[in-house]
């Protein structure tokens, strides 16, 4: 993203606003006090919690991950600031270019002829592009690109309120998702589905249609099982076995899940404290303890209280994001807000769910908390986008977008007699 | 916009819906977290904390098994094994060592710069020196271990094959379970450890290897192990032949080498732990605590005999060193060795009895005197060729305590290992014939029936019963007395009182008693004497019989069977046949000895036992009383005495050519109360021509098992020991099993249980 902002940011702002003013379509004003700051505050706190969690286990022979995480936090916040500056409507114009770029990178990592020095497969997965300072995962950017593209596509349309009209948005979902599944990175791919549904619900698609799509998807899901990678199948099998209390996978494929659950449980309500948690995590040989499994460390160190704090901060972030959408009147901003919130929420649910044994293990970071450069910077970029949306105050009253005929039969109705406003 | 709603905007309503959905999902996660961290906290914390400490286990050793005189029958003996690293065995080791050395010597950075070929050259240059080490090790293994090159290669091949197959199986399994589909070689545990090449080396050799450890590091391990040793399992007994029946008598002392002495009793251990052991007593129990007496994969487990039956007594508990990884604190609890088990067996007597039953001694072979001679002097032909070995079993137990002094089965397992497969199948050497094999009692049941009849009041001791040769008026072929046959010119016993009837073993007398008692009372009384009752002597059943007859050693007709007899109108004949120990009843030689001991105790029932009373492992011995009148016991004993001591007794003499009589029991200074029995046996399969198959002509029907069961005590004293002998397909009880019992009595004398000693020639007895 930063590539677009080579010169001063205001340079973009002024011509943009003057152009809109000239058209008389919209007046741009900055709204400095807005709900998106909730997201920023929550993100900062989550990030600090992450630094503390990463710092739990001393690692004498590896780099100071907590320090590096802090550095990435600064970089991430800078990226968020940069992305908040240009008006999002300008970003909207670049959406499709951006999407094509990202898709290009997703295809690029899959190409077998790309030398190992550029795309280095790890455990057979081709997800990373090697950059001089860090490794970069195009699938992280794909999440943002996808949300922008979907919002951009839906913003002035109505045809998604028909069954047929849902096909194109679905198609738009399956392209990046499919490429990511092939990497393979099932976890990241799974984030796209809830995002699709959330954005379409917000846009006013009919529940009936979404339900049909979901049911078709669910009924097709078992047929996809054989297509899964053997290790993915094994993980699902192991998770089901472990949920029913069987321990035969605990030393092999279910090792990570078992140890994560053990440490979560060992934390109890108040947590084991730093020193004890460090010993428990270390001698229980929890894999990825600073990364995908960092939530287990939080639960071990601070107990249920730590988990509640984490979820509480996410809730604040989500509420902040949804309020941003609610306050925004412009259709693109509305949908982008919902989409980004859902992406962050889905990642959080998948990560914490797999840590406490409700979902199969898959490579998925916990936004802001897990150690990892591209994941953290992308999460901050999402917050930057939310801030961007909330900062803009529409200069005139737009037609309210996504308001449809209330006679529609499938609306889950709040129209309860008693609740009806007096005099309405 | 719909102003009629609380939230007018549809978009806002839908945002709220999304928020609610998200909150619900988080609550679901919260519930799971609550379950883990609050409800199940203790379990997970214990799991997690268990990994903070490291356990090292200290070995224990199995308890010894002793005989009644303190002779050690089984013990753990320390010994050393030499195990060689698997890579040394496969020859990969020099290459790997050379590669490592090359990397180190070239240096990490320079190594990176080298081409593939350059690296290989560096490695190859260093291989010979490591190969020389291997050569040296193999040379030492061969010279110190005293094996030749072929033997060494065979052992290495065996290890390679074993490791290869188990490693393949492991890979297959992990691939399937974890869904790894690439062909990366998953290293199996077996490929990374040392494997035993030399076992049980002497301390001296172990010391030599110890010195080599610095010279050839990392190539082999000296493992000190405990090995289960059975010192008496093979031993040699010297038996004089001067008291044997005259056809095989001589003045020699025969040296008899025994294999598998008391093997069926002591049992054995295996060093593989089975799933059933782990299920029965896992080292790590279900609630994740450690049972120091539980099984780990490297344990030794009793696999049969006393080793298995008293596994929990013998095995002991390992010690443990618990080190807290956080604080480096160590807590040591020492191992508890297994407890010793004292058996009632006298291993010297056991060995003697086994020697007596050995075919090379001659008594358990088909001999002409067993078959007899025609009146005009021609030897009577037998169904088996002369000299054929016969399977046999014998039990000696102490009357007063029920302690088993000797219990021998022939052939032993060790002898069975030398048999052909078919022979093994026919003979079943794994079966402990004295304890597990079922036979019809035949005439040896008669004293039990006599005591039952008198106690039940169907016979008075002064009453005579006329032997007419056949029991049923209408049939002379059926239910006859044993002498009512053409070879005896259809003789009858005439009028007999109880004692003489027992001495002469008159069938008609006992048919009559059984008929008077009736089936139901007969079953009750036979049951009291142990028929159809499990005999819990402290041993599990070992053989293939286990599945079939568990807790059901011996057989009595049940209600269903009786009603069948009734329906078919066979109840009367079934009853009278049971009177002479035929028909639907079976028991084991141990049952027989125990029943006779019960009689000798005046009706007090005790379970026979193989574990010494007074040792903490002894079982509770059940005591019941049959409330026999003294006169009844005396009458039965008198009958039994006459059977051996009176010239008309069935156990009195052997007939030799020229109507020469030779007493069966020629031991001096003792009184013997005993009964012979000749019990109908199932068809005998016999591989005559040795073609490895049983053809129809090789099944011999209408043969009899030979019983000789009785009591022995000092002359004019009380019965001290009960002896039970069976020879399968031996024919006449008196002529075949009798001389064996005679030798067992002499063995008791030789071991000091009875007064008297071997004499060159026995004197004539009444």
């Amino acid at each position: 993203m930063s590539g677009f902002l080579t010169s001063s940011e205001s340079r973009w702002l002024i011509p943009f606003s003057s152009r809109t003013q000239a058209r008389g379509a919209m007046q741009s004003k900055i709204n400095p006090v807005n709900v998106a700051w909730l997201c920023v505050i929550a993100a900062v706190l989550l990030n600090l919690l992450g630094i503390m969690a990463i710092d739990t286990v001393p690692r004498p022979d590896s780099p100071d991950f907590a320090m590096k995480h802090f550095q990435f936090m600064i970089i991430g916040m800078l990226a968020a600031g940069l992305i908040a500056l240009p008006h999002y409507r300008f970003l909207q114009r670049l959406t499709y270019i951006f999407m094509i770029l990202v898709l290009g990178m997703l295809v690029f990592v899959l190409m077998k002829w790309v030398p190992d020095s550029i795309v280095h497969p790890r455990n057979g997965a081709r997800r990373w592009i090697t950059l001089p300072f860090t490794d970069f995962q195009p699938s992280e950017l794909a999440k943002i690109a996808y949300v922008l593209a979907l919002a951009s596509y839906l913003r002035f349309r109505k045809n998604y309120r028909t069954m047929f009209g849902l096909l194109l948005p679905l198609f738009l979902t399956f392209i990046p998702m499919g490429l990511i599944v092939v990497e393979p990175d099932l976890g990241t791919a799974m984030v796209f589905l809830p995002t699709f549904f959330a954005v379409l619900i917000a846009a006013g698609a009919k529940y009936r249609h979404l339900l049909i799509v979901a049911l078709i998807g669910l009924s097709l899901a078992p047929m996809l099982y054989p297509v899964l990678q053997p290790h993915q199948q094994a993980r699902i099998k192991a998770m089901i076995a472990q949920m029913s209390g069987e321990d035969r996978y605990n030393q092999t494929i279910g090792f990570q899940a078992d140890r994560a659950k053990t440490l979560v449980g060992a934390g109890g309500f108040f947590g084991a404290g730093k020193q004890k948690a460090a010993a428990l995590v270390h001698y229980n040989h929890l894999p990825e303890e600073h990364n995908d499994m960092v939530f287990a460390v939080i639960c071990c160190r601070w107990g249920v209280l730590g988990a509640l704090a984490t979820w509480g901060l996410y809730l604040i972030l989500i509420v902040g994001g949804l309020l941003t959408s609610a306050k925004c009147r412009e259709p693109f901003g509305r949908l982008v807000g919902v989409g980004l919130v859902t992406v962050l929420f889905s990642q959080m649910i998948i990560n914490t769910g797999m840590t406490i044994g409700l979902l199969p293990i898959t490579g998925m970071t916990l936004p802001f908390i897990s150690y990892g450069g591209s994941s953290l910077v992308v999460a901050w970029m999402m917050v930057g986008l939310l801030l961007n949306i909330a900062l803009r105050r529409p200069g005139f009253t737009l037609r309210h977008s996504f308001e449809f005929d209330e006679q529609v039969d499938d609306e889950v109705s709040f129209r309860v007699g008693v609740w009806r406003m007096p005099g309405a | 916009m719909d102003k009629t709603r609380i939230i007018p905007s549809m978009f806002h309503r839908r945002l709220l819906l999304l928020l609610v959905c998200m909150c619900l999902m988080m609550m679901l996660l919260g519930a799971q977290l609550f379950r883990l961290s609050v409800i199940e906290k203790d379990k997970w914390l214990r799991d997690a904390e268990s990994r903070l400490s490291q356990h090292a286990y200290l070995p224990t050793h199995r308890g010894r098994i002793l005989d009644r005189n303190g002779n050690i029958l089984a013990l753990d003996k320390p010994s050393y094994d030499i195990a060689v690293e698997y890579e040394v065995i496969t020859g990969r080791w020099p290459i790997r060592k050379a590669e490592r050395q090359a990397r180190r010597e070239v240096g990490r950075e320079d190594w990176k710069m080298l081409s593939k070929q350059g690296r290989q050259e560096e490695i190859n240059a260093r291989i010979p020196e490591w190969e020389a080490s291997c050569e040296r090790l193999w040379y030492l293994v061969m010279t110190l271990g005293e094996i030749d090159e072929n033997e060494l290669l065979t052992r290495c091949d065996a290890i390679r094959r074993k490791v290869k197959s188990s490693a393949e199986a492991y890979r297959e399994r992990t691939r399937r379970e974890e869904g790894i589909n690439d062909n990366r070689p998953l290293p199996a545990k077996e490929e990374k450890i040392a494997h035993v090449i030399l076992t049980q080396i002497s301390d001296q050799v172990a010391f030599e290897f110890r010195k080599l450890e610095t010279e050839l590091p990392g190539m082999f391990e000296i493992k000190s192990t405990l090995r289960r040793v059975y010192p008496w399992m093979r031993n040699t007994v010297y038996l004089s032949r001067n008291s044997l029946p005259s056809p095989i008598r001589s003045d020699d002392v025969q040296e008899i080498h025994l294999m598998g002495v008391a093997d069926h009793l002591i049992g054995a251990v295996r060093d593989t732990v089975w799933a059933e052991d782990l299920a029965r007593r896992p080292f790590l129990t279900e609630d994740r605590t450690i049972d120091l007496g539980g099984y780990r994969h490297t344990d030794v487990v009793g696999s049969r005999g006393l080793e298995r039956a008293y596994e929990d007594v013998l095995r002991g508990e390992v010690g443990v060193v618990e080190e807290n990884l956080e604080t480096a604190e160590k807590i040591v609890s020492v191992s508890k060795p297994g407890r010793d088990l004292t058996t009632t067996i006298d291993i010297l007597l056991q060995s003697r009895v086994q020697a007596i039953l050995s075919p090379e001694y001659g008594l358990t072979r088909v001999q002409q005197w067993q078959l007899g001679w025609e009146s005009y002097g021609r030897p009577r032909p037998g169904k088996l060729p002369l000299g054929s070995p016969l399977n046999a079993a014998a039990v000696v137990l102490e009357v007063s305590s029920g302690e088993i002094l000797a219990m021998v089965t022939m052939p032993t397992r060790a002898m069975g290992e030398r048999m052909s497969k078919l022979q093994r199948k026919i003979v079943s050497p794994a079966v402990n014939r004295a304890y597990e094999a079922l036979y019809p009692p035949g005439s040896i049941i008669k004293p039990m029936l006599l005591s039952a009849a008198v106690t039940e009041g169907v016979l008075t001791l002064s009453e005579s019963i006329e032997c007419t040769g056949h029991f049923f008026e209408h049939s002379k072929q059926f239910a006859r007395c044993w002498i009512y046959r053409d070879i005896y010119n259809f003789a009858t016993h005439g009028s007999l009182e109880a004692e003489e009837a027992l001495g002469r073993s008159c069938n008609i007398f006992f048919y009559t008693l059984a008929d008077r008692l009736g089936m139901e009372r007969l079953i009750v009384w036979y049951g009291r004497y142990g028929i159809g009752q499990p005999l819990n002597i402290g041993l599990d059943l070992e053989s293939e019989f286990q599945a079939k007859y568990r807790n059901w050693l011996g057989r009595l007709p049940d209600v269903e069977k009786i009603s069948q007899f009734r329906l078919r109108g066979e109840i009367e004949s079934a009853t009278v046949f049971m009177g002479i120990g035929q028909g639907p009843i079976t028991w084991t030689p141990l049952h027989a000895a125990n029943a006779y001991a019960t009689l000798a105790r005046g009706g007090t029932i005790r379970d026979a036992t193989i574990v010494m009373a007074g040792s903490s492992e002894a079982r509770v011995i059940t005591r019941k009383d049959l409330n026999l009148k003294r006169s009844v016991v005396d009458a039965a004993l008198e009958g039994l005495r006459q059977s051996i001591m009176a010239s008309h007794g069935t156990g009195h003499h052997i007939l030799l050519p020229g109507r020469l009589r030779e007493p069966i029991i020629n031991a001096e200074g003792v009184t013997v109360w005993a009964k012979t029995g000749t019990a109908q046996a199932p068809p005998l399969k016999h591989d005559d021509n040795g073609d490895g198959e049983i053809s129809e002509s090789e099944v011999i029907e209408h043969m009899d098992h030979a019983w000789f069961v009785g009591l022995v005590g000092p002359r004019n004293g009380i019965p001290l020991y009960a002896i039970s002998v069976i020879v399968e397909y031996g024919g006449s009880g008196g002529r075949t099993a009798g001389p064996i019992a005679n030798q067992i009595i002499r063995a008791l004398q030789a071991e000091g249980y009875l007064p008297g000693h071997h004499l060159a020639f026995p004197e004539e007895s009444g």
Side-chain angles (χ1 to χ4, degrees), chain A residues 201-202 204-205 230 252 259 268 276 284 326 356 403 406 414 419, chain B residues 6 9-14 17 26 29 32 37 48-49 51 178-179:
Chain A
I201 286 171
T252 54
R259 290 298 156 91
K276 186 72 184 286
N284 275 274
I356 61 178
E403 303 293 346
E406 293 299 352
F414 291 88
W419 286 9
Chain B
I6 289 178
S9 158
M10 173 175 164
F11 180 69
H12 290 172
R13 280 197 304 276
R14 290 199 162 195
L17 176 76
M26 286 167 80
L29 293 192
Q32 164 78 349
S37 301
E49 282 185 333
R51 297 188 184 109
E178 305 196 10

Short mmCIF file of all heavy atoms in Angstrom, two decimals, chain A residues 201-202 204-205 230 252 259 268 276 284 326 356 403 406 414 419, chain B residues 6 9-14 17 26 29 32 37 48-49 51 178-179:
data_model
loop_
_atom_site.label_atom_id
_atom_site.label_comp_id
_atom_site.label_asym_id
_atom_site.label_seq_id
_atom_site.Cartn_x
_atom_site.Cartn_y
_atom_site.Cartn_z
N ILE A 201 -24.91 -9.98 4.34
CA ILE A 201 -25.99 -9.72 5.29
C ILE A 201 -26.10 -8.21 5.48
O ILE A 201 -27.20 -7.63 5.39
CB ILE A 201 -25.73 -10.43 6.64
CG1 ILE A 201 -25.98 -11.93 6.50
CG2 ILE A 201 -26.61 -9.84 7.73
CD1 ILE A 201 -25.56 -12.73 7.71
N ALA A 202 -24.95 -7.58 5.70
CA ALA A 202 -24.98 -6.14 5.92
C ALA A 202 -25.52 -5.40 4.70
O ALA A 202 -26.25 -4.42 4.83
CB ALA A 202 -23.57 -5.65 6.25
N GLY A 204 -27.74 -6.37 2.81
CA GLY A 204 -29.16 -6.53 2.66
C GLY A 204 -29.58 -7.66 1.76
O GLY A 204 -30.71 -7.68 1.27
N ALA A 205 -28.70 -8.60 1.52
CA ALA A 205 -29.10 -9.78 0.75
C ALA A 205 -30.17 -10.52 1.53
O ALA A 205 -30.28 -10.39 2.74
CB ALA A 205 -27.90 -10.68 0.52
N PRO A 230 -3.92 -35.12 3.24
CA PRO A 230 -3.99 -36.17 4.28
C PRO A 230 -3.74 -35.63 5.68
O PRO A 230 -4.39 -36.05 6.64
CB PRO A 230 -2.89 -37.14 3.86
CG PRO A 230 -2.66 -36.89 2.42
CD PRO A 230 -3.02 -35.47 2.15
N THR A 252 1.28 -37.84 18.55
CA THR A 252 1.60 -37.69 17.14
C THR A 252 0.90 -36.46 16.57
O THR A 252 1.27 -35.34 16.86
CB THR A 252 1.21 -38.97 16.37
OG1 THR A 252 -0.16 -39.26 16.63
CG2 THR A 252 2.06 -40.14 16.81
N ARG A 259 -1.35 -30.40 23.88
CA ARG A 259 -0.54 -29.57 24.76
C ARG A 259 -1.17 -28.20 24.96
O ARG A 259 -1.12 -27.62 26.05
CB ARG A 259 0.88 -29.44 24.19
CG ARG A 259 1.67 -30.73 24.26
CD ARG A 259 1.84 -31.18 25.69
NE ARG A 259 2.08 -32.60 25.82
CZ ARG A 259 3.28 -33.17 25.83
NH1 ARG A 259 4.36 -32.44 25.72
NH2 ARG A 259 3.40 -34.46 25.98
N GLY A 268 -6.08 -22.34 34.81
CA GLY A 268 -7.17 -22.14 35.74
C GLY A 268 -7.82 -20.78 35.56
O GLY A 268 -7.75 -20.18 34.49
N LYS A 276 5.79 -19.59 36.66
CA LYS A 276 5.23 -20.93 36.56
C LYS A 276 4.78 -21.20 35.14
O LYS A 276 5.04 -22.28 34.58
CB LYS A 276 4.05 -21.05 37.54
CG LYS A 276 3.44 -22.42 37.66
CD LYS A 276 4.34 -23.37 38.40
CE LYS A 276 3.80 -24.78 38.46
NZ LYS A 276 2.68 -24.91 39.40
N ASN A 284 6.34 -28.42 28.70
CA ASN A 284 5.29 -29.13 27.97
C ASN A 284 5.54 -29.10 26.47
O ASN A 284 4.77 -29.64 25.70
CB ASN A 284 3.92 -28.55 28.29
CG ASN A 284 3.35 -29.16 29.55
OD1 ASN A 284 2.74 -30.20 29.51
ND2 ASN A 284 3.60 -28.50 30.68
N ALA A 326 -21.76 1.70 10.96
CA ALA A 326 -23.10 2.23 11.21
C ALA A 326 -23.13 3.75 11.00
O ALA A 326 -24.10 4.29 10.46
CB ALA A 326 -23.52 1.88 12.63
N ILE A 356 -8.26 -23.93 22.18
CA ILE A 356 -9.00 -24.58 23.26
C ILE A 356 -9.70 -25.85 22.80
O ILE A 356 -10.52 -26.40 23.50
CB ILE A 356 -10.00 -23.61 23.94
CG1 ILE A 356 -11.02 -23.12 22.95
CG2 ILE A 356 -9.26 -22.46 24.60
CD1 ILE A 356 -12.06 -22.20 23.56
N GLU A 403 -30.96 0.04 2.17
CA GLU A 403 -32.25 0.05 2.86
C GLU A 403 -33.27 -0.45 1.86
O GLU A 403 -33.44 0.14 0.81
CB GLU A 403 -32.62 1.46 3.32
CG GLU A 403 -31.58 2.10 4.23
CD GLU A 403 -31.46 1.41 5.57
OE1 GLU A 403 -32.33 0.62 5.92
OE2 GLU A 403 -30.43 1.64 6.26
N GLU A 406 -39.36 -3.14 3.48
CA GLU A 406 -39.52 -3.88 4.73
C GLU A 406 -40.56 -4.98 4.64
O GLU A 406 -40.71 -5.75 5.57
CB GLU A 406 -39.88 -2.92 5.88
CG GLU A 406 -38.76 -1.97 6.23
CD GLU A 406 -37.51 -2.69 6.70
OE1 GLU A 406 -37.55 -3.91 6.89
OE2 GLU A 406 -36.47 -2.02 6.86
N PHE A 414 -37.47 -7.18 13.74
CA PHE A 414 -37.49 -6.59 15.08
C PHE A 414 -38.85 -5.97 15.32
O PHE A 414 -39.08 -5.29 16.29
CB PHE A 414 -36.40 -5.53 15.22
CG PHE A 414 -35.02 -6.12 15.23
CD1 PHE A 414 -34.34 -6.32 14.04
CD2 PHE A 414 -34.42 -6.50 16.41
CE1 PHE A 414 -33.08 -6.87 14.04
CE2 PHE A 414 -33.15 -7.06 16.40
CZ PHE A 414 -32.47 -7.24 15.21
N TRP A 419 -42.61 -3.27 21.04
CA TRP A 419 -41.41 -2.48 20.87
C TRP A 419 -41.63 -1.27 19.95
O TRP A 419 -40.77 -0.42 19.83
CB TRP A 419 -40.29 -3.33 20.24
CG TRP A 419 -39.71 -4.31 21.22
CD1 TRP A 419 -40.18 -4.60 22.44
CD2 TRP A 419 -38.54 -5.07 21.01
NE1 TRP A 419 -39.39 -5.51 23.04
CE2 TRP A 419 -38.36 -5.83 22.18
CE3 TRP A 419 -37.62 -5.20 19.97
CZ2 TRP A 419 -37.31 -6.72 22.34
CZ3 TRP A 419 -36.58 -6.07 20.12
CH2 TRP A 419 -36.42 -6.84 21.30
N ILE B 6 -37.81 -0.02 16.24
CA ILE B 6 -36.92 0.58 17.23
C ILE B 6 -35.66 1.07 16.54
O ILE B 6 -35.17 2.17 16.78
CB ILE B 6 -36.55 -0.45 18.32
CG1 ILE B 6 -37.77 -0.72 19.20
CG2 ILE B 6 -35.38 0.04 19.16
CD1 ILE B 6 -37.54 -1.74 20.27
N SER B 9 -33.19 1.76 10.69
CA SER B 9 -32.39 1.39 9.53
C SER B 9 -32.20 -0.10 9.45
O SER B 9 -31.81 -0.75 10.41
CB SER B 9 -31.02 2.07 9.62
OG SER B 9 -30.10 1.37 8.83
N MET B 10 -32.47 -0.66 8.28
CA MET B 10 -32.27 -2.08 8.06
C MET B 10 -30.79 -2.43 8.18
O MET B 10 -30.41 -3.44 8.75
CB MET B 10 -32.78 -2.45 6.67
CG MET B 10 -32.47 -3.85 6.27
SD MET B 10 -33.26 -4.17 4.69
CE MET B 10 -32.41 -5.64 4.18
N PHE B 11 -29.94 -1.56 7.67
CA PHE B 11 -28.50 -1.78 7.74
C PHE B 11 -28.05 -1.90 9.19
O PHE B 11 -27.33 -2.81 9.58
CB PHE B 11 -27.77 -0.63 7.04
CG PHE B 11 -26.27 -0.78 7.05
CD1 PHE B 11 -25.66 -1.78 6.31
CD2 PHE B 11 -25.46 0.07 7.80
CE1 PHE B 11 -24.28 -1.93 6.31
CE2 PHE B 11 -24.09 -0.07 7.80
CZ PHE B 11 -23.49 -1.08 7.06
N HIS B 12 -28.57 -1.00 10.02
CA HIS B 12 -28.19 -1.04 11.44
C HIS B 12 -28.71 -2.29 12.11
O HIS B 12 -28.03 -2.89 12.94
CB HIS B 12 -28.70 0.22 12.16
CG HIS B 12 -27.95 1.43 11.73
ND1 HIS B 12 -28.33 2.70 12.10
CD2 HIS B 12 -26.88 1.58 10.94
CE1 HIS B 12 -27.50 3.58 11.58
NE2 HIS B 12 -26.61 2.90 10.85
N ARG B 13 -29.92 -2.68 11.75
CA ARG B 13 -30.46 -3.90 12.33
C ARG B 13 -29.58 -5.09 11.98
O ARG B 13 -29.31 -5.96 12.79
CB ARG B 13 -31.88 -4.15 11.81
CG ARG B 13 -32.94 -3.34 12.50
CD ARG B 13 -34.31 -3.93 12.24
NE ARG B 13 -34.64 -4.06 10.83
CZ ARG B 13 -35.15 -3.08 10.08
NH1 ARG B 13 -35.38 -1.90 10.60
NH2 ARG B 13 -35.43 -3.29 8.81
N ARG B 14 -29.14 -5.08 10.73
CA ARG B 14 -28.32 -6.22 10.30
C ARG B 14 -26.94 -6.18 10.98
O ARG B 14 -26.39 -7.23 11.28
CB ARG B 14 -28.21 -6.22 8.79
CG ARG B 14 -29.56 -6.60 8.18
CD ARG B 14 -29.45 -7.07 6.77
NE ARG B 14 -30.64 -7.80 6.40
CZ ARG B 14 -30.72 -8.58 5.33
NH1 ARG B 14 -29.66 -8.72 4.55
NH2 ARG B 14 -31.81 -9.21 5.05
N LEU B 17 -27.47 -7.67 14.24
CA LEU B 17 -27.57 -9.13 14.14
C LEU B 17 -26.17 -9.75 14.06
O LEU B 17 -25.87 -10.76 14.74
CB LEU B 17 -28.37 -9.51 12.90
CG LEU B 17 -28.46 -11.01 12.64
CD1 LEU B 17 -29.45 -11.64 13.59
CD2 LEU B 17 -28.84 -11.31 11.20
N MET B 26 -18.48 -16.07 20.65
CA MET B 26 -17.49 -15.87 21.70
C MET B 26 -17.95 -16.52 23.00
O MET B 26 -17.14 -17.05 23.77
CB MET B 26 -17.22 -14.38 21.90
CG MET B 26 -16.38 -13.81 20.78
SD MET B 26 -16.32 -12.02 20.73
CE MET B 26 -15.12 -11.70 21.96
N LEU B 29 -17.08 -20.15 22.83
CA LEU B 29 -15.68 -20.34 23.17
C LEU B 29 -15.47 -20.19 24.68
O LEU B 29 -14.73 -20.95 25.30
CB LEU B 29 -14.78 -19.33 22.45
CG LEU B 29 -14.67 -19.44 20.94
CD1 LEU B 29 -13.54 -18.57 20.43
CD2 LEU B 29 -14.43 -20.87 20.51
N GLN B 32 -16.36 -23.31 26.51
CA GLN B 32 -15.32 -24.35 26.41
C GLN B 32 -14.13 -24.00 27.31
O GLN B 32 -13.58 -24.85 27.99
CB GLN B 32 -14.87 -24.48 24.95
CG GLN B 32 -13.56 -25.21 24.74
CD GLN B 32 -13.69 -26.73 24.86
OE1 GLN B 32 -14.71 -27.23 25.29
NE2 GLN B 32 -12.63 -27.44 24.51
N SER B 37 -10.68 -24.66 32.00
CA SER B 37 -9.89 -23.95 33.01
C SER B 37 -10.50 -23.95 34.39
O SER B 37 -9.82 -23.68 35.36
CB SER B 37 -9.67 -22.50 32.58
OG SER B 37 -9.02 -22.46 31.35
N ALA B 48 0.06 -31.06 33.07
CA ALA B 48 1.09 -30.10 32.70
C ALA B 48 2.25 -30.16 33.69
O ALA B 48 3.41 -30.13 33.31
CB ALA B 48 0.49 -28.69 32.68
N GLU B 49 1.93 -30.30 34.97
CA GLU B 49 2.99 -30.33 35.98
C GLU B 49 3.78 -31.62 35.94
O GLU B 49 4.96 -31.64 36.28
CB GLU B 49 2.39 -30.12 37.37
CG GLU B 49 2.06 -28.66 37.61
CD GLU B 49 1.58 -28.40 39.02
OE1 GLU B 49 1.03 -29.32 39.63
OE2 GLU B 49 1.75 -27.26 39.50
N ARG B 51 4.93 -32.95 33.54
CA ARG B 51 6.03 -32.81 32.58
C ARG B 51 7.13 -31.90 33.11
O ARG B 51 8.16 -31.75 32.47
CB ARG B 51 5.50 -32.28 31.25
CG ARG B 51 4.52 -33.26 30.66
CD ARG B 51 4.07 -32.95 29.27
NE ARG B 51 3.06 -33.92 28.90
CZ ARG B 51 1.77 -33.66 28.76
NH1 ARG B 51 1.33 -32.42 28.91
NH2 ARG B 51 0.92 -34.60 28.44
N GLU B 178 -0.96 -40.11 10.60
CA GLU B 178 -0.70 -38.70 10.52
C GLU B 178 -0.94 -38.16 9.13
O GLU B 178 -0.87 -36.96 8.89
CB GLU B 178 0.74 -38.42 10.94
CG GLU B 178 1.03 -38.98 12.31
CD GLU B 178 2.29 -38.40 12.88
OE1 GLU B 178 2.81 -37.44 12.30
OE2 GLU B 178 2.74 -38.90 13.92
N GLY B 179 -1.18 -39.07 8.21
CA GLY B 179 -1.48 -38.64 6.86
C GLY B 179 -0.29 -38.01 6.17
O GLY B 179 -0.43 -37.12 5.33
#
